[in-house]
Amino acid sequence: GEDVEQSLFLSVREGDSSVINCTYTDSSSTYLYWYKQEPGAGLQLLTYIFSNMDMKQDQRLTVLLNKKDKHLSLRIADTQTGDSAIYFCAEDSGGGADGLTFGKGTHLIIQP
Amino acid sequence: GAGVSQSPSNKVTEKGKDVELRCDPISGHTALYWYRQSLGQGLEFLIYFQGNSAPDKSGLPSDRFSAERTGGSVSTLTIQRTQQEDSAVYLCASSLAGTGTNEKLFFGSGTQLSVL
């Protein structure tokens, strides 16, 4: 079945760049997503990338996709304390009836 | 409402009791999803509705879990004879089409269920 893997924790200093990595197994994924979850809240869609792209930039966020290696990354430039959250990688391998397949999430910890 | 609304936000129940969780999706969103988020785990897909019908119920953990959606809008997730392992955050999400193409899911804040 589909599987999405992420590291559980990432610690960075305020002002540095954060890079959160994700690997997935289903090569038929059409879109790949990054969601952000702040404490006590639901998931918020941050950004997504179409599978035939290798990079997408949106302000401080850069998504890189290596389809050959099934590797997705999210880079957050100039990390701020407000970026502290859990970041989930997801793929739409099934879509519709199967929903999205999510990783376990990466806790981003910001050090002052 | 402007977003996906879930109620209650917190529910504490005793083992063996039944609970009902409610989700009110974004108006006009035909697709509705239930996920379960357990401590240290990712999101576990439970069930998907397209309109009032649920094409795929295979994610429901056991026959104690059921869900319905009426009028293509509000959905309820019912857990009968709750067990301690049911303790988790239950998240509801909705999307415009549910076609599997660029599914932008909008999530509610979840119901934190604690079974004592």
Side-chain angles (χ1 to χ4, degrees), chain A residues 8 11 28 39-40 47 57 60 63 67 73 78 98:
Chain A
L8 289 183
S11 179
S28 66
T47 186
Q57 187 148 7
R60 291 191 298 120
V63 179
K67 198 172 180 182
S73 68
D78 186 25
D98 293 334

Side-chain angles (χ1 to χ4, degrees), chain A:
Chain A
E2 305 89 14
D3 199 15
V4 178
E5 299 284 343
Q6 302 177 240
S7 299
L8 289 183
F9 294 97
L10 175 66
S11 179
V12 298
R13 286 188 184 174
E14 189 175 359
D16 287 352
S17 292
S18 305
V19 180
I20 303 171
N21 294 301
C22 168
T23 58
Y24 60 98
T25 57
D26 193 332
S27 57
S28 66
S29 295
T30 306
Y31 287 91
L32 295 124
Y33 306 83
W34 285 103
Y35 281 81
K36 177 183 180 182
Q37 185 181 34
E38 295 178 347
L43 276 70
Q44 172 194 2
L45 178 63
L46 264 186
T47 186
Y48 62 92
I49 188 167
F50 187 48
S51 59
N52 71 350
M53 297 170 63
D54 53 20
M55 187 179 89
K56 180 179 179 180
Q57 187 148 7
D58 183 2
Q59 299 182 342
R60 291 191 298 120
L61 305 178
T62 302
V63 179
L64 294 177
L65 174 61
N66 182 329
K67 198 172 180 182
K68 174 176 170 289
D69 294 339
K70 299 190 188 71
H71 182 268
L72 182 74
S73 68
L74 174 70
R75 179 176 179 269
I76 305 172
D78 186 25
T79 309
Q80 305 296 309
T81 54
D83 296 325
S84 180
I86 304 174
Y87 290 81
F88 290 90
C89 172
E91 61 173 353
D92 70 348
S93 49
D98 293 334
L100 300 181
T101 301
F102 287 84
K104 293 186 178 180
T106 299
H107 293 243
L108 179 60
I109 300 162
I110 315 299
Q111 298 174 6

